Amino acid sequence: MDIRETYLPGIGKKFQIKSRGGDVLIVVVHDDGRRECYMEADRDNDFKPVFSLDDDEARMLASIVGGMQYKPRALENIEMVLDDLIIEWYRVEPTYKSVGSSIGQLGVRNRSGASVLAVVEKGGATKHINPGPDLVLTEEALLIVAGERSQQKAFRDILKNGCE
Amino acid sequence: MDHLVMEIGLAIGLVALAGILSAKLKFSVIPFYIIVGMLVGPHAFKIGHFDFRFVESAELIHFFGRIGVLFLLLYLGLEFSVGRLIKSGKSIVVGGSIYIGINFTLGLLYGFLTGLPLSEVLIIAGITTISSSAIVAKVLVDLKRTANQETEMILGIIMFEDVFLALYISIVSGLVLSSSSSLGGVLLSALIALVFMLGVLIVGRKLVPQLNRWLDIRSNELFLLIVFGSLFLIAGFAETIHVAEAIGALLVGLVLAETQHAHRIEKLILPFRDFFGAMFFFSFGLTIDPTALGGAVWMALGAVAITLVGNFAAGMLAGRSAGIPPYASAKIGLTIVARGEFSIIMANLAMAGGLAAIIQPFAALYVLILAILGPLLTKESKWVFRVLDPIFKFNARYDRRQQQAPETSS
């Protein structure tokens, strides 16, 4: 992926993004907070405007594109592989049996070997970085968990099935 | 009876009305402000308490206009950064030099052709060389062209013009505003101006760490008062030594741009720039008697023709040097023909220096025509290019060049 930044005096900043697939996308961040997205057209045409968003809308879109909103359902989608270590995001669905149990009660470390790096409670209001064993999992909380692939798998089972 | 507040209210109301009208017609607002100012004024009439002659308030409105210039230049200084100009790259520097070279030369030649004295010639060259960054930026955003490749070149040329403008105003203001008529006197005042400017810039640069500390004020009120205080003091002091007050404001902007507070100042200044900027165009219109425009029609039309040709040629050459295809290059020239605030600042400089009266109606007509024509040409650039291409064979020649050097194209 190739990103080129250009300063547009009096307007803002332009990011030209060329994806591995060959698509050229241009995002213009206006000084007044607006974002405009353009796609490449042929030589004699202007770049084609695709959408225009206000600042808050753009942040929302970024979180959707970035996978913060939906990703946990497709559990293996977002992962950063550092050799064997994988960091994954999980969302605690209301149907999960682990809701209401603390990390210590679930025995996360002993049973799976994975480690909970952070917990963001529903709505993002409360964040626990490096939570202790007393932290109780709530519905729709986001968990960021580090571990090897097999440990992640074990952790997912614990999350779904609780203390069984 | 004192109807000052009423008159000012009327003036602002008219300006607002012009703004609404321009928004409805989707047109650049600057010509509307000027026209509405031209329509009223001493030659107009009075209906009851509505005095459209603006007798009592004329002085105050002109003062608003002067403040408008200070804010416009302060903002220009705040936005400008030498680092950005250097980083902008070779193609921008080449393109900007081509543009200034062609158009400033043409402006000087045209000025001499009118047979006016040297000071007037320099003012005319200034009026015709410098594009309106306000109109250009607005048109590009409105037409959704900010992502195009030629836009980088357009804005680069505009930035280059800003540098030229700063240097040029300071030289010309030394010449025009200097009270002495002998060559020695003029040189002396130019020297004083130069020392003053370098002094502010160097001392300002040295003081940046202190300024960072002094301006670290939580209260917006106090912060604004200090910024305004230094703006008016330095701009006012510049005037006393025959340096245009606009340059004083620009210097303040350049110094403040180096501090950590540049962003906060920009944000707080913006509404003032917008309000007083609008009053600036209105007050300029107010000084123009529409019945006096007749004498300057041919002079203005000639200048418009030269500007169109010069800018288009400069755009094609600048685009060619940067490897931009012909149609996109044509858009460069067609976009930067817009004229506005800076041309009027040059004309006001002529008025302050007591130069030939023809400059005012000339500048008014010239700016009105190009402030309207510029955005239109930008919008209809495709059509203009379709008419011109068969005559000049831009595309055919571009394709030939591409074939000769297939490796260099992207």
Side-chain angles (χ1 to χ4, degrees), chain B residues 113-167:
Chain B
L113 215 68
T114 59
L116 291 166
L118 179 68
S119 301
E120 278 84 349
V121 170
L122 290 176
I123 293 282
I124 289 176
I127 291 174
T128 57
T129 305
I130 300 154
S131 314
S132 162
S133 5
I135 297 182
V136 169
K138 182 155 191 315
V139 169
L140 287 173
V141 171
D142 286 352
L143 293 180
K144 295 198 180 293
R145 288 201 183 156
T146 47
N148 292 358
Q149 54 174 341
E150 80 272 3
T151 298
E152 287 174 33
M153 178 57 89
I154 292 170
L155 294 172
I157 290 179
I158 295 274
M159 190 159 67
F160 215 77
E161 285 182 49
D162 292 345
V163 182
F164 174 79
L165 168 87
L167 295 172

Side-chain angles (χ1 to χ4, degrees), chain B residues 86-256:
Chain B
I86 294 168
K87 256 195 280 172
S88 61
K90 198 183 126 228
S91 62
I92 299 282
V93 175
V94 172
S97 310
I98 292 174
Y99 176 84
I100 298 284
I102 292 180
N103 291 286
F104 184 59
T105 315
L106 284 177
L108 281 178
L109 286 177
Y110 187 71
F112 281 118
L113 215 68
T114 59
L116 291 166
L118 179 68
S119 301
E120 278 84 349
V121 170
L122 290 176
I123 293 282
I124 289 176
I127 291 174
T128 57
T129 305
I130 300 154
S131 314
S132 162
S133 5
I135 297 182
V136 169
K138 182 155 191 315
V139 169
L140 287 173
V141 171
D142 286 352
L143 293 180
K144 295 198 180 293
R145 288 201 183 156
T146 47
N148 292 358
Q149 54 174 341
E150 80 272 3
T151 298
E152 287 174 33
M153 178 57 89
I154 292 170
L155 294 172
I157 290 179
I158 295 274
M159 190 159 67
F160 215 77
E161 285 182 49
D162 292 345
V163 182
F164 174 79
L165 168 87
L167 295 172
Y168 195 67
I169 290 190
S170 38
I171 295 168
V172 172
S173 72
L175 210 70
V176 171
L177 299 180
S178 136
S179 42
S180 85
S181 50
S182 70
L183 182 67
V186 170
L187 282 180
L188 183 72
S189 54
L191 189 73
I192 293 175
L194 194 70
V195 169
F196 167 71
M197 285 185 290
L198 288 178
V200 172
L201 283 182
I202 293 168
V203 173
R205 203 157 251 265
K206 281 254 181 297
L207 281 182
V208 165
Q210 280 89 329
L211 284 172
N212 277 340
R213 222 158 354 98
W214 293 337
L215 285 174
D216 196 8
I217 301 165
R218 185 158 303 169
S219 149
N220 274 345
E221 178 185 336
L222 199 55
F223 184 78
L224 211 56
L225 280 171
I226 291 172
V227 172
F228 277 30
S230 27
L231 169 68
F232 281 80
L233 278 175
I234 293 178
F237 179 75
E239 246 245 311
T240 62
I241 55 168
H242 303 302
V243 177
E245 54 192 21
I247 290 296
L250 181 73
L251 292 172
V252 175
L254 286 172
V255 170
L256 290 178

Side-chain angles (χ1 to χ4, degrees), chain A residues 57-87:
Chain A
E57 296 170 323
R59 282 165 199 277
M60 195 51 151
L61 177 75
S63 81
I64 292 172
V65 175
M68 275 72 134
Q69 302 278 333
Y70 182 68
K71 153 229 63 252
R73 249 175 239 274
L75 288 173
E76 267 171 349
N77 274 4
I78 283 220
E79 47 187 24
M80 280 176 272
V81 183
L82 306 164
D83 290 332
D84 281 338
L85 182 69
I86 299 169
I87 295 176

Side-chain angles (χ1 to χ4, degrees), chain A residues 4 6-11 14 16 26 28 30-31 34 36 38 43-49 52, chain B residues 79 84 137 140-141 144-152 155 159 325-327 331 382 395 398-399:
Chain A
R4 200 166 66 94
T6 325
Y7 170 66
L8 302 177
I11 291 180
K14 166 174 139 181
Q16 181 155 0
I26 290 190
V28 178
H30 291 256
D31 282 339
R34 213 147 31 89
E36 281 184 321
Y38 294 85
R43 172 180 124 181
D44 274 357
N45 277 311
D46 296 332
F47 271 84
K48 218 171 74 215
S52 174
Chain B
E79 283 240 292
R84 276 174 183 167
L140 287 173
V141 171
K144 295 198 180 293
R145 288 201 183 156
T146 47
N148 292 358
Q149 54 174 341
E150 80 272 3
T151 298
E152 287 174 33
L155 294 172
M159 190 159 67
Y327 171 55
K331 281 186 282 187
K382 188 161 251 167
N395 265 329
Y398 175 78
D399 290 338

